[in-house]
Amino acid sequence: MKLCTSSPIGANFIYVLQRASKAKMITREVLLCLVALLVVWVSHCVYRWKNPKCHGKLPPGSMGFPFIGETIQFFIPNHSLYDIPPFIRSRMARYGSLFRTSLVGRKVVVSVDPEINYQIFQQEGKSFVISYTESFSEIIGRKSLLVYHEMAHKYLKNLILHLVGPANLKAKLIHEMDESTRTRLHSWASHGNIVDIKEATSNMVFEYFAKKLISYDECKTSKKLKDNYNAFMSGLISFPINIPGTAYHACLEGRKNALKVIKDTMEGRKNCNINHGDFLDYLVEEVRKEDTILSEEIAVNMIFLLLFAAYETTSTAITLAIKFISDHPQVLIQLTREHEAILKSRESKNSEITWQEYKSMTFTHMVINETLRLANIVPGMFRKAVKDVQMNGFTIPAGWLVMVVPAITHLDPDKYDDPLLFNPWRWEGKELHAGSKTFMAFGGGVRLCVGADFAKLKMAIFLHYLVLNYRWTVIKGGDTIRMPGLIFPNGLHIKISEKQNG
């Protein structure tokens, strides 16, 4: 049946079809315009991301994908203990010793140049201040010691030195550490079992330092503070996705639970007249002072960070030292000679280590420094430019982070002969108790690690009794992965037994 266009109905129908067709065309044109605008906006954003504003010449590099940056590449595991991390190595080869990137949403300049690194540390509080990515700041806490500057940082640092400074190490801690080390080594050897030295030394340092901080005893409580720290450690340097099941989420939960244990302990102290003789007692008294900047929240965060820093880094360094010594018999021979000479000079062979003996352990300190040089436990140290800073002809814009990477200098053949070789003798005649432009195991400048003396003393005491009184054999493990922090995925299992004297 043919529709009559001259009829009113036919004419209306055709009119409606024409209007619908025109509306569809308009809608298509609007959509095309919107898509075009979106493409232009995205292109602009991508361009601005890849070409950040700068009042000068930016260091070369790549900003990666918008928002994500080069985060994924940064977190790719490195299975070589000695190799420069692939993320750094490939960019050094392409861009040089100063390059730009983006990590977890922050614009970052990476420096592997020892001269620039030294300048950055020397300009602490002037051109640069300590700073971290948002995700890492969330992990360590907004009230952490690490986020304070100038006078506030100096005050908090002096509080910590009251516990781990040279004066207290010499007067008190050396005796306690001596006893706890001897007890633990004897226990491992007496059981005749194979010991995972990474886990065992971690527990040893954790239990000792937890008692010093808050009189905490893992065996006498159901709170299991160590388990919370283990969860915290599992995601400390991980991709920051806060979803249940991820390492980052477990890390935040571990931190929250550990802080609750510390906070509950502090609450119990405030109205308690018993003197526990620990660091928490000292902090509670500081909090009560009218002219202090120390709040309960800052004190709790300080204890949390101190316990983490003390046990994890120290146990990693001890484990790596044992691995190196086991692989180099000549080092063990020289170490044993040094400590046997100390033993012979004593009136009683059962005497504790004295401060003078500790200071005389020259080769032991050479072994410690060489271990730390190769360990590179901390993958990088962050600072933030507070103003535009000129470095080597480039501009580091205000607000950008700078990641100092000491590992590159520690493995530089121009600074260390045969740098991948474990060779304690390379330290002969050199300064053993301070950092330098070419040795930054404990950082640099005013931010030099406050626990450095504690860690070195603990390592020296442990090595003293280990080489004097025990034999050991590596059974399995010892593999390392940098993620980018150094871990022992399979531990380091040794069979340890006491030497038969006479």
Side-chain angles (χ1 to χ4, degrees):
M1 177 179 166
K2 192 179 278 189
L3 182 65
C4 181
T5 57
S6 59
S7 69
I9 295 176
N12 286 337
F13 183 73
I14 292 173
Y15 176 74
V16 169
L17 287 177
Q18 290 174 340
R19 289 290 301 270
S21 176
K22 186 179 290 186
K24 193 178 292 186
M25 288 179 63
I26 293 172
T27 300
R28 189 183 299 116
E29 290 173 357
V30 169
L31 286 174
L32 287 172
C33 287
L34 290 174
V35 169
L37 287 173
L38 181 62
V39 169
V40 170
W41 180 77
V42 169
S43 299
H44 175 75
C45 290
V46 170
Y47 177 81
R48 294 310 313 161
W49 176 267
K50 291 184 174 294
N51 300 274
K53 289 182 179 180
C54 176
H55 302 296
K57 183 181 178 183
L58 275 172
S62 169
M63 305 304 290
F65 293 105
F67 309 112
I68 297 175
E70 297 186 304
T71 308
I72 296 174
Q73 297 96 313
F74 180 74
F75 282 107
I76 293 175
N78 178 19
H79 293 266
S80 172
L81 172 63
Y82 305 103
D83 196 12
I84 295 171
F87 176 84
I88 302 293
R89 185 180 65 248
S90 62
R91 285 154 183 78
M92 280 177 60
R94 186 172 182 181
Y95 304 120
S97 61
L98 194 71
F99 60 88
R100 73 176 187 267
T101 183
S102 175
L103 303 175
V104 291
R106 291 296 300 269
K107 297 169 183 175
V108 181
V109 170
V110 178
S111 170
V112 299
D113 186 307
E115 292 295 331
I116 291 179
N117 294 346
Y118 181 77
Q119 290 178 45
I120 290 169
F121 286 139
Q122 295 306 307
Q123 293 182 41
E124 178 78 35
K126 300 173 185 175
S127 299
F128 296 94
V129 295
I130 194 165
S131 186
Y132 298 95
T133 63
E134 286 298 313
S135 57
F136 193 73
S137 296
E138 188 72 23
I139 289 174
I140 62 173
R142 306 289 178 179
K143 297 292 184 179
S144 164
L145 167 73
L146 300 180
V147 304
Y148 289 93
H149 310 293
E150 298 179 350
M151 293 306 296
H153 172 260
K154 185 176 180 181
Y155 165 73
L156 296 174
K157 181 178 179 179
N158 285 336
L159 291 181
I160 298 170
L161 286 173
H162 178 82
L163 174 65
V164 296
N168 199 44
L169 289 174
K170 180 179 179 180
K172 192 173 183 180
L173 265 59
I174 187 172
H175 310 295
E176 298 173 352
M177 292 161 73
D178 184 289
E179 181 182 358
S180 67
T181 301
R182 284 196 285 181
T183 300
R184 196 55 65 100
L185 280 166
H186 178 72
S187 173
W188 298 341
S190 298
H191 286 86
N193 295 325
I194 295 172
V195 177
D196 178 357
I197 204 69
K198 176 61 179 77
E199 181 180 356
T201 54
S202 176
N203 290 336
M204 175 183 69
V205 180
F206 183 91
E207 290 171 17
Y208 169 74
F209 210 57
K211 285 182 181 179
K212 292 302 301 177
L213 288 171
I214 59 175
S215 298
Y216 177 85
D217 190 335
E218 190 86 357
C219 299
K220 297 179 180 179
T221 180
S222 60
K223 295 178 180 178
K224 302 304 176 189
L225 186 59
K226 182 66 160 53
D227 290 344
N228 294 323
Y229 269 92
N230 288 340
F232 172 76
M233 273 305 303
S234 69
L236 178 62
I237 306 178
S238 60
F239 200 85
I241 301 177
N242 189 13
I243 299 174
T246 63
Y248 185 74
H249 179 79
C251 177
L252 292 176
E253 288 296 301
R255 177 181 181 275
K256 181 177 73 174
N257 294 332
L259 285 173
K260 185 177 186 309
V261 173
I262 299 169
K263 187 175 182 179
D264 289 347
T265 305
M266 189 166 194
E267 284 295 321
R269 292 287 179 90
K270 290 193 298 186
N271 299 315
C272 178
N273 295 321
I274 300 174
N275 182 14
H276 295 81
D278 56 21
F279 189 57
L280 183 57
D281 275 353
Y282 176 70
L283 292 184
V284 168
E285 288 302 314
E286 276 297 312
V287 169
R288 287 172 178 162
K289 294 179 180 179
E290 293 183 0
D291 59 343
T292 185
I293 65 168
L294 185 68
S295 66
E296 290 181 21
E297 185 180 3
I298 295 173
V300 168
N301 275 277
M302 179 187 292
I303 290 173
F304 171 80
L305 191 64
L306 282 175
L307 185 51
F308 151 68
Y311 94 88
E312 181 55 32
T313 55
T314 306
S315 63
T316 299
I318 290 174
T319 304
L320 202 54
I322 293 174
K323 172 182 168 62
F324 287 145
I325 295 167
S326 302
D327 292 341
H328 298 82
Q330 291 302 316
V331 174
L332 177 57
I333 291 171
Q334 184 69 19
L335 265 179
T336 306
R337 285 174 182 165
E338 178 169 88
H339 291 283
E340 284 178 343
I342 290 173
L343 194 63
K344 288 177 182 178
S345 67
R346 292 178 185 166
E347 293 183 5
S348 171
K349 291 185 178 181
N350 294 321
S351 298
E352 295 179 345
I353 294 174
T354 66
W355 189 255
Q356 291 73 23
E357 289 173 347
Y358 165 65
K359 287 296 186 180
S360 74
M361 297 176 183
T362 304
F363 189 71
T364 302
H365 285 291
M366 290 161 64
V367 170
I368 291 172
N369 277 13
E370 184 69 351
T371 298
L372 296 175
R373 182 185 71 84
L374 288 171
N376 293 306
I377 295 172
V378 178
M381 289 166 271
F382 287 91
R383 297 294 186 269
K384 182 175 74 173
V386 296
K387 60 183 179 180
D388 287 358
V389 181
Q390 304 300 317
M391 290 280 184
N392 278 21
F394 297 108
T395 300
I396 301 175
W400 280 49
L401 291 185
V402 178
M403 185 171 77
V404 171
V405 186
I408 311 306
T409 304
H410 294 167
L411 301 177
D412 186 346
D414 293 332
K415 304 294 186 297
Y416 296 94
D417 293 335
D418 202 356
L420 303 185
L421 177 67
F422 179 75
N423 176 21
W425 288 275
R426 75 171 76 246
W427 294 92
E428 202 161 13
K430 296 182 179 179
E431 171 58 51
L432 298 175
H433 303 287
S436 67
K437 292 181 182 179
T438 58
F439 184 61
M440 294 184 174
F442 292 104
V446 297
R447 289 282 178 171
L448 191 69
C449 176
V450 72
D453 290 322
F454 170 87
K456 289 188 287 187
L457 177 60
K458 186 64 182 177
M459 290 182 71
I461 293 173
F462 187 89
L463 292 176
H464 173 79
Y465 288 112
L466 179 68
V467 302
L468 272 182
N469 301 328
Y470 299 91
R471 292 186 177 89
W472 73 92
T473 305
V474 174
I475 303 300
K476 64 177 181 177
D479 299 325
T480 59
I481 299 177
R482 297 188 186 276
M483 304 184 60
L486 180 65
I487 65 169
F488 288 82
N490 304 311
L492 178 65
H493 300 259
I494 65 170
K495 187 172 181 61
I496 184 170
S497 61
E498 289 194 45
K499 290 182 179 179
Q500 300 301 317
N501 296 320

